[in-house]
Amino acid sequence: MKAICWHGHGDVRYETAPDPSIEDPRDAIIRVTRTAICGSDLHLLDGYMPTMKSGDVLGHEFMGEVVEIGSGVTKLKKGDRVIVPFAIACGECFFCQKTLFSLCDRSNRNAEIAAKVMGYSPSGLFGYSHMLGGFPGGQAEYVRVPYADVGPLKIPESLTDEQVLFLTDIFPTGYMAAENCEMEKGDTVAVWGCGPVGQFAIQSAWMFGAGRVIAIDHVPERLELARTWGKAEVIDFTKQDVFDTLNEMTKGRGPDRCIDSVGAEAHGTGSFDAVIDKAKAAVKLATDRPHALRQAIHCCRKGGTVSIPGVYIGFLDKIPFGSFVNKGLTMKTGQTHVQRYTRPLLEKIQSGAIDPTRLVTHRAKLSDAPALYKKFRDKEDGCIKVVLTP
C-alpha cells in the first residue's frame, strides 16, 4: 500500500509501506477514505518526539470502510463506514472502565518504554512513535485497528466524511479542553492558539456556557476564523502585550479559564523566554518550548483554571509554579478520551449545532502530503487544516 512515512527531522515521504493484516482476533482492517494532518504531527516532522524510526507510517486522524475483521469482532461488519479514535483502548481495564480511554493499561505494546519516561504508560496511539506502541498510522491506504469493537464508531450515510472526520481527534480534543475548564456560566475564556484544536476549543467554550471567548494568535487567517466562525474577541500577540490586553479586557481580574492549545512548539515571537527556549531546543538542552503555558499561568485570574490540550513531549523549563500555587490555580490536562465523546458530538453535528467542515482550508491527495506538511507547519497559503484522500 501507499502511505506517508517518517524518515527523520523534516523528512516525510509518500512511498510503499507494508500492507496491514489481522494480528489479533479483535482487530479490523480499515480502508482509509479520509485522513488529515494534525498539529501534533508537526512535532514528529520537527523531530521533537523520541523513539521514531525511519519508515514509520504517520497519521492519527482517519476514517474509512471496514474491509476485514478478526474472529473476535462482533460490533462491526465488512462495509461499515467508521471513524477511528486516535487513542487505542481495550475497553476493559481499570482506566477504560472509568472512561479514561487515553490512559488504557493494555493497548501500548511498548508500555515499558513510556513508563521509564512518565512513571506509568498512557494508551497506545496511532502513528505516534514506538514509545506509544509503534502502531502504523492512518495517513495510508489501509490501517490495522486493534480492539475494533471499542474505538470505531459507525457513521450514518446522511453525513459526509468531512463532516465527521474530526471526531477522531480535534473536535473531541477541543471539547475536552473546554470541559476541563470546569467553567461557570458567563466565564471569560482565553484560548492560546487558533489552530484546529484551538478553533474547536473556542466552539466548545460557548457550548459550556462561556460569556466571552478571547483568542490569541498571530496568524491572520486563524485570527479571522476565530473572530468570524468562533465569535471570539482576538489578540494578535505580535501587536499587543497579551497580559496587559487581557488585564484591560477583564477589568484587572484576568480571564477565568485559560486554554493552552499551542503545546510544545510555541513561537512567542520576539519574547525573551521564547528565544531562550528555541536556542535550548536547538542544542538538545530542552525538549519543549512552553511560552504559551507560562503566559496562560501568568494571565489566569486567581482561583482560575488552566486547561492544556496542547501536546507536550518531555521536560519543561522555567514554569512559573510559584505563580500557579500562590494564585490557587487548577490545571487539567491529558490526551483526549475520544471514545467518551464521539457519540454526543456526532449528535451535535447531526443536529446542525456545529459544522466542522468550516475548518478545512486544503483538500488534496495523499501523495500531496509531504508538501502540505511543510505548508501547514510554515502557515503558508492560509493553511489551517488539511484533509487528504488516499
Side-chain angles (χ1 to χ4, degrees):
M1 69 172 185
K2 292 294 186 180
I4 302 303
C5 300
W6 184 91
H7 285 282
H9 184 182
D11 186 0
V12 298
R13 306 174 194 172
Y14 176 71
E15 61 186 19
T16 300
D19 291 334
S21 60
I22 298 293
E23 299 177 16
D24 183 273
R26 298 179 69 180
D27 288 351
I29 305 297
I30 306 295
R31 180 181 67 82
V32 178
T33 56
R34 291 291 188 283
T35 184
I37 300 174
C38 180
S40 301
D41 292 326
L42 298 182
H43 304 322
L44 308 181
L45 179 70
D46 292 340
Y48 277 81
M49 190 71 190
T51 71
M52 293 291 293
K53 296 181 180 179
S54 185
D56 283 349
V57 178
L58 299 177
H60 56 269
E61 290 184 293
F62 65 94
M63 64 173 296
E65 177 188 352
V66 177
V67 294
E68 189 177 354
I69 57 173
S71 60
V73 177
T74 61
K75 296 181 181 179
L76 298 179
K77 64 180 186 302
K78 292 181 182 180
D80 284 343
R81 189 169 64 119
V82 296
I83 59 97
V84 181
F86 75 88
I88 303 166
C90 73
E92 298 170 348
C93 70
F94 173 88
F95 295 99
C96 286
Q97 289 297 303
K98 290 182 173 293
T99 74
L100 301 172
F101 296 104
S102 71
L103 305 178
C104 176
D105 249 348
R106 299 178 183 174
S107 61
N108 185 358
R109 56 191 177 185
N110 294 329
E112 69 284 353
I113 301 175
K116 287 179 181 178
V117 177
M118 305 177 196
Y120 300 93
S121 172
S123 72
L125 305 183
F126 287 104
Y128 218 77
S129 85
H130 289 266
M131 179 168 66
L132 297 174
F135 294 96
Q139 290 170 11
E141 294 179 313
Y142 296 91
V143 183
R144 179 179 79 92
V145 177
Y147 303 111
D149 276 341
V150 179
L153 176 69
K154 287 188 276 189
I155 299 300
E157 289 302 318
S158 59
L159 297 174
T160 67
D161 281 4
E162 275 194 12
Q163 285 178 289
V164 298
L165 174 61
F166 303 143
L167 288 172
T168 61
D169 178 4
I170 55 174
F171 186 9
T173 295
Y175 189 84
M176 188 172 110
E179 181 182 72
N180 279 347
C181 285
E182 299 179 338
M183 69 182 72
E184 299 173 5
K185 189 173 180 60
D187 274 351
T188 295
V189 181
V191 179
W192 274 257
C194 297
V197 169
Q199 298 289 345
F200 278 117
I202 292 166
Q203 295 287 327
S204 301
W206 293 120
M207 296 177 188
F208 281 97
R212 298 174 74 186
V213 180
I214 303 169
I216 303 153
D217 207 298
H218 72 114
V219 180
E221 296 85 3
R222 293 183 175 194
L223 288 170
E224 181 63 12
L225 188 62
R227 188 185 67 79
T228 54
W229 186 43
K231 304 296 187 292
E233 302 164 69
V234 299
I235 295 174
D236 181 340
F237 67 77
T238 65
K239 299 177 180 178
Q240 299 162 275
D241 181 90
V242 174
F243 178 83
D244 288 347
T245 304
L246 285 172
N247 200 46
E248 182 179 349
M249 295 172 77
T250 59
K251 298 181 179 179
R253 190 170 64 190
D256 303 290
R257 318 293 167 187
C258 294
I259 299 176
D260 169 12
S261 297
V262 178
E265 293 187 78
H267 289 87
T269 306
S271 63
F272 178 75
D273 68 316
V275 172
I276 297 299
D277 285 342
K278 191 169 185 178
K280 284 189 172 183
V283 296
K284 308 299 183 184
L285 290 176
T287 58
D288 300 63
R289 306 199 305 261
H291 171 75
L293 177 57
R294 295 189 193 107
Q295 198 169 71
I297 292 171
H298 188 60
C299 293
C300 192
R301 73 146 165 91
K302 294 179 287 186
T305 305
V306 177
S307 172
I308 309 175
V311 171
Y312 285 93
I313 308 300
F315 297 93
L316 277 58
D317 196 11
K318 292 183 170 54
I319 298 301
F321 209 71
S323 170
F324 184 85
V325 170
N326 287 290
K327 287 165 63 179
L329 302 182
T330 296
M331 183 181 292
K332 297 199 74 172
T333 70
Q335 296 283 5
T336 309
H337 310 303
V338 177
Q339 292 87 336
R340 182 196 295 175
Y341 303 107
T342 50
R343 290 183 187 279
L345 295 185
L346 175 63
E347 292 174 3
K348 289 185 180 294
I349 296 170
Q350 287 177 299
S351 71
I354 186 169
D355 176 13
T357 65
R358 287 284 302 272
L359 196 62
V360 182
T361 56
H362 289 66
R363 298 169 175 88
K365 297 178 181 178
L366 185 65
S367 56
D368 297 323
L372 285 164
Y373 257 90
K374 294 175 175 60
K375 185 171 287 189
F376 180 38
R377 179 193 62 192
D378 298 336
K379 301 171 181 63
E380 298 173 346
D381 191 31
C383 187
I384 296 176
K385 189 63 180 180
V386 177
V387 172
L388 304 165
T389 304

